[in-house]
Amino acid sequence: MSFGKQLSLLGLQLPSRLPTLWVKRLVLYASDRDNKIIRDIPLQPGMNIVWSTSQSPSSGSLGGHNAGKTSFCRLLRYCLGENSYGTDKNQKQIASLFPDGMVGAEIEANGNTWAVARSFKSDGKKMAIPDGALEELLGCVNPEPFQNFVNYIEQVCLSRFSVSTFAKHGQPIRWGHVLSWLTRDQEARFTEFHQFRSPRSNSHAPIFPKSKEDAHTLLRSALHLLNSDSEMDQEKIQEINKKLRSVRREQAKRQQESGYWDQELTRRLREKLDIPADEMISWDSADLFDHSIRQRYKERIAELDCTTASHQKEISRIQNDINENNRRVGGIDLELGKVKSILEARRRFFREMEGVSNKSANDPEEEWRAVDCTPVGIKIIECPLAREKWAQEKRRQDNKSIVDLKEYGNRRWEDHQTKGGADDLSDLERQAADLELQKQEIEQRLRDLPIQRKQEEDRLRQVEKRAQSLTDLATEAEYWRNRRQLRNTESRQREETKKTLEKEKTSIGAHIYLMEENHRDRIRLFSSLFNAIVQEVLAADVRGRIQLDGETALFSLSGNQSTLGEATTSLSIALGDISSLLFALWQDTPLPGFLIHDSPRDADMAEGLYHNFLLFINWLQEGFCSDKIIPYQYIITTTTPPPLQLQSDSWVKLHLNSDDPEGTLFK
């Protein structure tokens, strides 16, 4: 069969270099103590066939199964960093047969050869050395941890991926995810592109939480079909739009605020300064208060100051009146007290004298008690001096003083009777009444004056408030004019910012368009490559299609059903993997040129199609790779005999036979 026509038309070219990642050698050791080798399997760039056969169906093996081809793939994966090399049952059996056994490999990554080795026991040794062979590793006293090798591969293979995380859940893309794609489980049966691992294999590989979406992200990131630059540019545009919205909102807010304060302060200035409506007030002038407005302001302030002084003077006068009237009330109270005391004393004296005149003479002391000591009517018994004098006289048993006092009282009484004592009392009563009236008049004034003072104080506060309000308005207006000039500067800056953002948005938009156009061209190229490979392997009337426009990756075949047979899904996935491998090499994307297919024919692929598939891979290696330097390594296991021209040792790197104990992997 002739190959190459479709690919030549497409212009496919492969680089003249060795694969970024490939396995040079796989060695099974029965024991790490004496380094006894069970198998030493050399591998090469290009196609490597592991062929398992069975001559006798009665042996219990079906067509080469159970010889160890899947274990071979699993051990390769184990050396490349996967956490297990078989089902739990198989691992226990192998570890019990070879308790000190190990698997080792020499792996070239980015031009550096690493020797790695891992024990068949899950908790056993695992070690590596760079730039060395397995023999050096097993004899090394201080090898590096195996994880150093895994970290190195991860750096080599993932550093150029378009994205470093899965979009749906944000978990990082790890080397284990890529390894799952490049080394599909045989148990997965090539049924769907995203099913890299089967739960039955116990691979303990990294989980894809969103298997379809994550596989889609992995493929597009590895092949640079994920327009991350465009996505980043879209994020930039979203950020620019966010900034533009913020600038526009701020601009509208400031304009609304400026309009409000222009109108409000203009209204208040006209109201406070009586500025006519036809007189212009400019908020953009260098000096808000021009000559006429400033003169109005000064006159209004002077008027308010004059009113303030007048109210203060009146308040001071009222306070002086209050003080003077309080003094007069005090004097009247003093005078009134004296008058009332005299009046009361005289009334009491006359009452007592009238009572004495009606009494017969008694004991001199009793008479003495009825006599006043002074003209103001204080009883002798109540006067300390008179009482002391009386006591002295009494000790002398001399009643002459008492008699004298009595005579004094009698003289007062005679005077009262002869001079008209009633008139004297009336004068005192009139004098007291006049004083009471004066006091009432002054007290009424004292009640009125604080009210007048408070009224004046209220008027003063109103004037002061008006003056302060006018001063505050002038300060506020001047502040707003200055602030408005600053706002105008800020507004111009916002306009400049808007222009800059709009310009940047336009530039990024143009870049996005070019990037997306380039992105679409790359997807079309990948789809064309897949279609060309499908037609090379199958027929010109068969079409291959790739769908990458949703959240899943889908490889499909359509055309003559008699040509396709039953296994269109498994064939489309196998050809999709090959197309991904070749596209990565052609377009220099970070997907390593390494691929393992474990028994794709077991997925019911027709034998003729399967042979065409293998012959196409051979043609790529023989006739398409320049200078015989093959930039990929493709390992395939099969129980179906390969085409005759591919059954030599140049292609078949491991020939297993389930009928012969020496023909199994662990012979």
Side-chain angles (χ1 to χ4, degrees):
M1 182 176 182
S2 174
F3 296 101
K5 180 179 179 181
Q6 297 295 331
L7 294 179
S8 296
L9 292 174
L10 189 62
L12 174 67
Q13 293 182 353
L14 300 181
S16 179
R17 60 171 174 78
L18 291 174
T20 303
L21 177 70
W22 63 287
V23 181
K24 292 183 174 182
R25 181 183 172 202
L26 184 72
V27 182
L28 307 181
Y29 295 96
S31 173
D32 62 345
R33 297 180 181 179
D34 54 9
N35 297 341
K36 182 181 178 180
I37 295 176
I38 303 172
R39 281 193 183 274
D40 189 343
I41 308 164
L43 300 170
Q44 64 186 15
M47 184 164 59
N48 298 262
I49 299 174
V50 176
W51 179 18
S52 179
T53 60
S54 174
Q55 302 298 327
S56 174
S58 62
S59 64
S61 296
L62 301 177
H65 293 283
N66 300 323
K69 55 182 178 56
T70 295
S71 294
F72 168 82
C73 295
R74 295 296 301 272
L75 287 166
L76 275 177
R77 288 156 52 177
Y78 190 53
C79 289
L80 287 167
E82 197 160 86
N83 291 325
S84 66
Y85 58 90
T87 63
D88 294 342
K89 179 181 177 181
N90 286 347
Q91 288 192 122
K92 288 180 181 179
Q93 289 177 345
I94 294 172
S96 63
L97 288 172
F98 306 101
D100 298 321
M102 299 186 74
V103 59
E106 293 174 3
I107 303 170
E108 185 168 309
N110 202 31
N112 297 317
T113 300
W114 284 74
V116 301
R118 302 184 72 176
S119 172
F120 290 140
K121 294 181 179 180
S122 59
D123 58 350
K125 295 179 180 179
K126 44 186 178 181
M127 51 191 178
I129 58 170
D131 302 320
L134 282 171
E135 289 75 15
E136 296 176 68
L137 174 62
L138 297 179
C140 183
V141 178
N142 294 310
E144 293 189 17
F146 177 76
Q147 188 61 38
N148 287 5
F149 163 70
V150 176
N151 294 342
Y152 180 78
I153 291 183
E154 190 162 77
Q155 174 64 26
V156 167
C157 296
L158 301 188
S159 60
R160 293 174 52 230
F161 269 46
S162 297
V163 296
S164 59
T165 59
F166 292 108
K168 284 293 182 179
H169 46 78
Q171 293 185 13
I173 298 175
R174 309 307 300 265
W175 162 243
H177 295 114
V178 181
L179 183 63
S180 297
W181 175 20
L182 301 179
T183 60
R184 293 176 181 272
D185 270 343
Q186 191 271 340
E187 293 88 345
R189 304 284 295 173
F190 291 83
T191 54
E192 291 187 82
F193 172 77
H194 65 274
Q195 289 187 351
F196 305 141
R197 292 286 181 261
S198 168
R200 293 180 296 145
S201 69
N202 301 132
S203 66
H204 306 294
I207 296 174
F208 290 83
K210 299 284 186 180
S211 57
K212 290 184 179 181
E213 295 89 340
D214 292 347
H216 176 243
T217 299
L218 185 66
L219 179 144
R220 297 187 68 168
S221 182
L223 300 183
H224 286 177
L225 298 176
L226 187 65
N227 195 0
S228 59
D229 289 342
S230 177
E231 291 181 359
M232 288 189 290
D233 285 342
Q234 291 287 1
E235 291 176 359
K236 290 180 182 178
I237 284 187
Q238 291 177 4
E239 187 64 26
I240 289 174
N241 286 333
K242 183 179 178 181
K243 291 179 180 179
L244 282 171
R245 288 192 297 271
S246 176
V247 169
R248 292 186 183 116
R249 282 196 301 268
E250 185 68 16
Q251 191 80 328
K253 177 182 176 181
R254 297 305 182 191
Q255 288 176 352
Q256 183 179 10
E257 184 181 12
S258 295
Y260 168 79
W261 283 111
D262 285 356
Q263 295 178 7
E264 175 64 13
L265 292 175
T266 297
R267 180 189 65 77
R268 288 164 60 187
L269 281 172
R270 292 189 188 280
E271 177 184 320
K272 299 289 184 182
L273 300 178
D274 297 327
I275 300 175
D278 58 352
E279 186 173 334
M280 189 70 172
I281 297 179
S282 175
W283 294 96
D284 295 319
S285 63
D287 184 4
L288 171 65
F289 292 110
D290 60 16
H291 179 71
S292 61
I293 297 177
R294 187 176 297 280
Q295 186 62 32
R296 282 194 181 93
Y297 171 74
K298 289 180 178 180
E299 290 174 356
R300 185 58 51 85
I301 289 294
E303 178 185 338
L304 292 173
D305 287 344
C306 182
T307 304
T308 298
S310 175
H311 287 303
Q312 289 174 340
K313 183 177 180 180
E314 181 63 16
I315 290 170
S316 179
R317 184 195 65 75
I318 293 173
Q319 185 60 47
N320 291 335
D321 282 354
I322 291 173
N323 295 339
E324 175 62 23
N325 281 282
N326 280 327
R327 186 188 63 77
R328 290 179 62 193
V329 166
I332 290 173
D333 282 339
L334 182 61
E335 182 67 21
L336 185 60
K338 291 179 180 180
V339 172
K340 286 183 176 180
S341 296
I342 294 171
L343 182 61
E344 180 63 25
R346 289 185 179 181
R347 284 173 178 168
R348 187 168 60 250
F349 170 77
F350 294 136
R351 285 196 303 269
E352 290 175 353
M353 289 302 295
E354 288 176 355
V356 170
S357 64
N358 295 326
K359 284 185 178 182
S360 61
N362 289 316
D363 182 56
E365 183 177 345
E366 292 298 327
E367 294 180 4
W368 166 80
R369 289 181 180 276
V371 180
D372 284 345
C373 178
T374 65
V376 295
I378 297 177
K379 297 288 183 64
I380 292 176
I381 195 62
E382 295 173 356
C383 177
L385 296 175
R387 189 167 60 246
E388 178 63 25
K389 182 176 181 181
W390 171 81
Q392 291 174 1
E393 294 297 331
K394 187 177 182 181
R395 283 193 296 270
R396 298 174 186 171
Q397 296 184 349
D398 181 4
N399 291 324
K400 185 177 182 300
S401 298
I402 299 175
V403 173
D404 291 341
L405 291 172
K406 179 180 177 183
E407 290 178 354
Y408 172 76
N410 289 334
R411 286 196 301 272
R412 290 284 307 276
W413 171 248
E414 291 173 357
D415 290 339
H416 172 67
Q417 288 180 326
T418 58
K419 294 180 179 179
D423 294 337
D424 187 27
L425 290 177
S426 297
D427 291 341
L428 289 173
E429 288 173 349
R430 281 194 298 273
Q431 185 179 356
D434 290 342
L435 290 172
E436 288 284 0
L437 182 61
Q438 293 177 34
K439 180 180 177 181
Q440 290 176 3
E441 291 175 351
I442 294 172
E443 286 177 341
Q444 181 61 45
R445 289 199 63 192
L446 285 173
R447 285 192 291 272
D448 293 340
L449 286 172
I451 296 173
Q452 296 175 17
R453 181 181 62 187
K454 185 177 183 306
Q455 291 173 346
E456 285 299 320
E457 289 173 345
D458 289 342
R459 295 187 188 99
L460 175 62
R461 279 192 291 271
Q462 290 296 324
V463 173
E464 289 176 340
K465 186 176 179 181
R466 288 169 57 194
Q468 186 61 48
S469 174
L470 187 57
T471 302
D472 291 344
L473 175 59
T475 302
E476 188 176 359
E478 191 64 25
Y479 168 80
W480 173 246
R481 186 194 66 80
N482 295 331
R483 182 61 182 162
R484 196 175 189 279
Q485 289 180 346
L486 178 61
R487 290 284 177 86
N488 291 339
T489 302
E490 292 173 348
S491 177
R492 289 190 294 270
Q493 291 174 347
R494 281 192 291 271
E495 287 296 333
E496 290 298 322
T497 301
K498 282 170 57 179
K499 291 179 182 178
T500 301
L501 290 173
E502 292 285 1
K503 184 177 180 181
E504 184 179 359
K505 180 180 176 181
T506 301
S507 175
I508 293 175
H511 183 256
I512 287 176
Y513 176 80
L514 294 176
M515 291 294 296
E516 289 183 344
E517 189 63 29
N518 180 60
H519 176 65
R520 287 188 288 268
D521 289 343
R522 289 177 65 83
I523 291 179
R524 284 193 290 267
L525 186 62
F526 183 41
S527 183
S528 298
L529 176 62
F530 176 65
N531 181 65
I533 291 174
V534 166
Q535 293 183 345
E536 294 281 8
V537 173
L538 300 176
D541 59 352
V542 179
R543 294 288 181 270
R545 181 173 178 269
I546 301 175
Q547 180 181 329
L548 296 176
D549 53 353
E551 294 184 341
T552 61
L554 179 63
F555 296 88
S556 60
L557 304 177
S558 62
N560 191 333
Q561 192 62 37
S562 62
T563 302
L564 292 173
E566 297 295 329
T568 57
T569 301
S570 59
L571 184 59
S572 67
I573 291 174
L575 292 175
D577 287 345
I578 294 295
S579 299
S580 300
L581 178 77
L582 295 178
F583 185 80
L585 294 170
W586 183 17
Q587 298 298 311
D588 190 27
T589 74
L591 183 70
F594 177 80
L595 185 63
I596 297 177
H597 278 164
D598 186 9
S599 302
R601 172 79 204 290
D602 290 350
D604 300 326
M605 190 185 301
E607 184 174 2
L609 294 179
Y610 183 57
H611 279 186
N612 281 350
F613 177 76
L614 293 177
L615 290 172
F616 171 72
I617 302 298
N618 175 60
W619 172 82
L620 284 175
Q621 182 171 333
E622 290 289 322
F624 199 80
C625 295
S626 59
D627 301 326
K628 303 301 180 181
I629 298 176
I630 305 167
Y632 62 86
Q633 184 178 52
Y634 178 60
I635 299 172
I636 183 169
T637 70
T638 179
T639 57
T640 301
L644 288 176
Q645 60 267 45
L646 301 180
Q647 293 183 11
S648 67
D649 292 343
S650 299
W651 309 104
V652 180
K653 297 304 177 183
L654 179 62
H655 196 166
L656 302 173
N657 189 336
S658 58
D659 293 336
D660 182 3
E662 293 295 315
T664 61
L665 183 64
F666 291 95
K667 59 184 179 178

